[in-house]
């Protein structure tokens, strides 16, 4: 019987979702499921992880979403020095080892900055050395690392995997998100009129996203067939 059924979808792409600064996996899940239609979310196996460190200050979503709130790492005012970053990387890798394999990453805000930096750090052997290569990224409100020692490793080579980027017209990170695009070999962009948020998808955005997801699904299917 072997290969007869292998033209059909074998499994959904599995995605580790990294939330924004001082929010949570549950908050990101709520934002994604409220804003994006099932025609998008049902095509992915989305796994929402809480960051390793409890919130060390006031959360900007207080009063909108219930606690607890978490953060991936801490940073100075200029965003040039990070604290607990190695611990953060070890925490993510440990989770991926125990709960994987994962095909790609979805990140928002601090989670997007982290997600976009991980493929390069993986290539350099800095982290994620015990898990499969990251095959794609979905970046919402992202940017590059500003800490020089980290940026040198994360972006020493272009980000090779397919990446989908959301750029908000009034997002304070928009220009930094554009800089990130320059480091990507294969970026696809969805522009939206909102700010630093998970946006709803208009007709054009939905078409772009569904096309990207079809491509990712094909990639995952081909890998499964080969194996």
């Amino acid at each position: 019987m072997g290969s007869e059924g292998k033209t059909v979808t074998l499994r959904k792409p599995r995605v580790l979702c990294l939330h924004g600064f001082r929010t949570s996996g549950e908050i990101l899940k709520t934002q994604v499921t409220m804003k994006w239609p099932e025609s998008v979310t049902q095509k992915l196996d989305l796994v929402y992880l809480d960051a390793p460190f409890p919130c060390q200050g006031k959360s900007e979503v207080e009063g909108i979403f219930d606690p607890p709130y978490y953060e991936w790492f801490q940073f100075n005012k200029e965003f040039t020095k990070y604290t607990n970053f190695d611990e953060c990387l070890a925490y993510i890798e440990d989770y991926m080892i125990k709960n994987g394999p994962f095909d790609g990453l979805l990140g928002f805000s601090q989670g997007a900055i982290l997600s976009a930096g991980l493929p390069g750090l993986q290539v350099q052997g800095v982290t994620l050395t015990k898990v499969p290569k990251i095959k794609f990224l979905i970046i919402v409100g992202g940017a590059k690392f500003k800490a020089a020692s980290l940026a040198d490793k994360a972006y020493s080579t272009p980000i090779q995997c397919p990446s989908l980027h959301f750029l908000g017209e009034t997002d304070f990170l928009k220009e930094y998100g554009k800089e990130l695009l320059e480091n990507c070999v294969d970026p696809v962009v969805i522009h939206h009129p909102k700010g630093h948020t998970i946006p709803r998808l208009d007709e054009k955005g939905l078409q772009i996203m569904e096309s990207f997801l079809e491509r990712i699904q094909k990639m995952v299917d081909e890998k499964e067939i080969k194996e």
Side-chain angles (χ1 to χ4, degrees):
M1 301 215 16
S3 61
E4 281 178 17
K6 292 201 172 182
T7 51
V8 298
T9 297
L10 299 171
R11 64 175 179 85
K12 297 176 186 178
R14 198 144 194 262
V15 188
L16 184 61
C17 304
L18 308 184
H19 62 77
F21 186 59
R22 294 181 179 169
T23 65
S24 69
E26 189 58 37
I27 291 170
L28 180 58
K29 182 179 180 180
T30 301
Q31 291 170 316
V32 166
T33 52
M34 279 175 59
K35 299 289 185 69
W36 293 353
E38 284 191 2
S39 64
V40 166
T41 58
Q42 292 302 310
K43 287 182 175 137
L44 298 167
D45 179 8
L46 299 166
V47 179
Y48 297 87
L49 176 63
D50 287 330
F53 302 104
C55 173
Q56 295 187 14
K58 186 175 170 60
S59 169
E60 289 189 7
V61 301
E62 211 173 295
I64 304 167
F65 294 104
D66 291 334
Y69 311 121
Y70 302 93
E71 51 198 54
W72 295 102
F73 55 91
Q74 297 78 43
F75 43 84
N76 64 353
K77 205 181 283 186
E78 294 77 30
F79 301 100
T80 53
K81 289 184 181 172
Y82 302 156
T83 307
N84 290 318
F85 191 78
D86 289 344
E87 291 83 349
C88 169
L89 295 181
Y91 171 82
I92 291 171
E93 181 160 24
D94 184 60
Y95 186 85
M96 291 177 86
I97 291 167
K98 290 175 180 171
N99 299 278
F102 290 94
D103 299 296
L105 301 172
L106 180 155
F108 171 63
S109 196
Q110 190 184 38
I113 294 168
L114 195 49
S115 296
L118 284 173
L121 294 177
Q122 187 179 39
V123 167
Q124 293 294 317
V126 175
T127 190
L128 307 189
T129 57
K130 298 172 185 172
V131 298
K133 190 177 172 185
I134 295 165
K135 299 177 195 66
F136 67 91
L137 299 171
I138 299 174
I139 303 296
V140 187
K144 290 164 69 171
F145 292 131
K146 277 195 170 183
S149 59
L150 204 52
D152 287 346
K153 291 173 185 153
Y155 318 116
S156 60
T157 56
I159 297 166
Q160 299 287 338
C161 65
S163 54
L164 177 65
H165 304 253
F166 288 78
L167 293 182
E169 195 51 48
T170 59
D171 188 348
F172 70 95
L173 284 182
K174 180 183 175 185
E175 295 309 312
Y176 301 105
K178 284 182 180 176
E179 285 177 14
L180 175 61
L181 292 178
E182 294 169 13
N183 268 88
C184 299
V185 169
D186 194 11
V188 176
V189 181
I190 292 177
H191 295 275
H192 65 90
K194 300 292 185 181
H196 196 62
T197 185
I198 304 279
R200 293 186 188 280
L201 293 161
D202 61 16
E203 192 176 342
K204 185 179 178 186
L206 185 58
Q207 285 175 352
I208 293 170
M209 184 144 200
E210 288 183 338
S211 171
F212 182 82
L213 295 183
E214 276 173 30
R215 201 170 131 211
I216 296 311
Q217 183 67 63
K218 259 185 218 170
M219 197 165 65
V220 169
D221 289 348
E222 284 168 8
K223 182 177 180 293
E224 292 281 304
I225 290 166
K226 280 178 189 171
E227 290 178 353

